[in-house]
Amino acid sequence: MSETWLKDNALLLQYVTIPGYSHVFRNRNKIRGGGVGVYLREGISYKRRIDIENMEPNLEHLWLENSGRNKHSKMLLGVLYRSELIQDYQTWLDTVERLFSQLNVLWDDLIVVTGDVNVDIAKAKSFTSLVAHGAGATLRFL
């Protein structure tokens, strides 16, 4: 999920719990709106990759690693959100390109990226080029 509008308030976060699912959020606390999150069916093992989030702390992004069914199948799931209030398009694109380049070195399995990046891909050739050539790992942008 992107643009969750959630804050780090335990009393309010109890209202977004869904039975049968665990959740992970990265909330925006100082500015209204924003935030990213993931709901996972209970029983799905994952590890939050805060180390990846810390590579580019100015991005609104959340990363989870899922080890899959065997030792050779793992996936990295990223959720991104971009708002013009936080970063203009070119700054955001440069930051995401830098992050994807680092992931290309660190990760050699499937990468799935989702989110709301507020980009008109019909006009943003640099973005479509980044998605098409972004990582040596298998990259899926949903």
Side-chain angles (χ1 to χ4, degrees):
M1 301 180 317
S2 57
E3 201 170 3
T4 61
W5 284 63
L6 297 173
K7 305 285 183 211
D8 288 331
N9 179 324
L11 292 175
L12 294 177
L13 288 174
Q14 72 183 343
Y15 292 104
V16 297
T17 300
I18 299 174
Y21 289 82
S22 59
H23 59 271
V24 182
F25 298 118
R26 183 170 179 186
N27 301 322
R28 187 196 288 178
N29 286 310
K30 296 181 181 173
I31 301 172
R32 189 174 154 196
V36 291
V38 174
Y39 282 97
L40 296 142
R41 189 178 64 226
E42 286 180 357
I44 295 177
S45 63
Y46 68 90
K47 177 172 88 170
R48 183 165 178 187
R49 294 295 304 268
I50 294 174
D51 58 321
I52 296 173
E53 296 168 28
N54 289 337
M55 288 178 186
E56 295 296 344
N58 292 326
L59 283 179
E60 279 192 80
H61 60 139
L62 172 70
W63 293 90
L64 302 178
E65 178 181 333
N66 175 277
S67 57
R69 295 176 188 233
N70 62 54
K71 68 180 183 176
H72 301 293
S73 68
K74 55 186 181 174
M75 175 186 73
L76 191 61
L77 172 67
V79 182
L80 303 176
Y81 176 66
R82 183 187 78 85
S83 167
E84 284 288 331
L85 295 173
I86 304 298
Q87 284 184 326
D88 65 86
Y89 172 70
Q90 191 59 52
T91 303
W92 179 85
L93 184 65
D94 293 343
T95 305
V96 168
E97 186 172 21
R98 191 170 47 246
L99 176 64
F100 284 4
S101 293
Q102 292 176 61
L103 290 177
N104 186 36
V105 173
L106 297 173
W107 191 263
D108 61 356
D109 283 299
L110 179 65
I111 300 173
V112 177
V113 182
T114 68
D116 180 3
V117 295
N118 292 305
V119 173
D120 182 349
I121 60 171
K123 296 178 183 174
K125 293 182 183 183
S126 54
F127 180 73
T128 55
S129 174
L130 170 65
V131 171
H133 303 97
T138 304
L139 175 66
R140 303 269 191 257
F141 203 99
L142 305 173

